[in-house]
Amino acid sequence: MTTIESGSGKRLTARGAKTRSKIVTEAADLMYVRGVAATTLDEVVAASGVSKSQLYHHFDGKDALVRAVIDLMGQRVIERERDALGTASTLADLRRWRDALVQNNALQDGAYGCALGSFASEVADHDAVARAALSQLFSEWQGLLMGVLRRLQEQGALAADASVDQLATGLMGALQGGYMLAQTARDVTPMATSIDMALAHIESLSAR
């Protein structure tokens, strides 16, 4: 019988892994829309179609499930950002990245914000393990932005003395702040404006 390693180190059969994956996927969908605190384990059980004993076989409690959800959401976000930023090397590429994020968030009128930012606001203060995982994910995301800015410098499109670290931090801050403003306003315009301001600053540092 084929077995695989679970995130907790347990050996799972293929069937067990499928059950665990279904639990995490359904929990992720619920927690993203409803929030972590508002999502109960009973709701996860009902949505995933498993028994409560099956859920507790895979997770010791809600904190463990939330950490698994963060891993899943983080994987989705980082894969999306790698696709968008991994080979980006021009300001036009960054604008296309901005357009894709804003347009995607507009589908729900900005209602749910950034998946990672939403989880960070709910769990960072009381779960050090989850906070560390989210911090690592944000660092990886910011690293992708730094990679684009470094390529701009290498091509002479960004001043050699510009700090790619600081610019990437500012761009990430504009993005996350924009997500929050859009979420509260139910309008992506503040998000678009925030990112545009950051990109305009980067463009102002173009090598002359």
Side-chain angles (χ1 to χ4, degrees):
M1 181 180 295
T2 302
T3 61
I4 64 172
E5 195 81 17
S6 74
S8 62
K10 296 178 181 177
R11 302 293 292 179
L12 299 178
T13 64
R15 183 177 179 181
K18 185 176 180 180
T19 298
R20 184 183 189 279
S21 177
K22 185 171 182 58
I23 293 170
V24 175
T25 299
E26 294 295 338
D29 291 343
L30 287 170
M31 291 177 183
Y32 178 54
V33 173
R34 295 171 55 83
V36 173
T39 300
T40 67
L41 292 181
D42 285 340
E43 289 171 330
V44 174
V45 166
S48 58
V50 302
S51 66
K52 186 166 283 190
S53 63
Q54 284 177 301
L55 186 148
Y56 279 106
H57 172 73
H58 293 284
F59 303 100
D60 294 335
K62 188 172 181 179
D63 284 349
L65 177 58
V66 170
R67 293 167 189 170
V69 167
I70 289 171
D71 287 342
L72 174 62
M73 300 298 276
Q75 180 183 346
R76 291 176 178 174
V77 170
I78 296 303
E79 285 181 356
R80 181 196 72 203
E81 294 302 290
R82 281 201 193 105
D83 288 342
L85 298 171
T87 59
S89 59
T90 66
L91 286 168
D93 289 335
L94 281 176
R95 292 190 195 97
R96 281 190 287 271
W97 164 78
R98 170 265 193 211
D99 290 346
L101 290 178
V102 171
Q103 290 167 11
N104 185 66
N105 203 32
L107 296 176
Q108 299 291 340
D109 295 323
Y112 307 120
C114 170
L116 300 187
S118 297
F119 276 86
S121 68
E122 288 206 65
V123 306
D125 289 340
H126 69 264
D127 187 337
V129 174
R131 183 195 61 77
L134 287 161
S135 179
Q136 178 59 40
L137 288 165
F138 278 119
S139 293
E140 190 170 352
W141 193 347
Q142 189 168 313
L144 291 169
L145 291 171
M146 289 173 63
V148 179
L149 297 172
R150 286 197 186 97
R151 288 189 285 276
L152 286 172
Q153 277 187 328
E154 291 166 359
Q155 296 170 5
L158 183 64
D161 60 352
S163 170
V164 297
D165 190 2
Q166 291 181 358
L167 290 174
T169 298
L171 184 51
M172 178 61 76
L175 172 61
Q176 292 302 318
Y179 268 122
M180 182 174 294
L181 291 173
Q183 186 174 10
T184 55
R186 290 296 190 267
D187 179 3
V188 295
T189 302
M191 176 186 181
T193 301
S194 297
I195 304 173
D196 285 344
M197 292 290 288
L199 292 179
H201 177 62
I202 292 170
E203 190 168 12
S204 74
L205 300 176
S206 298
R208 295 177 176 83

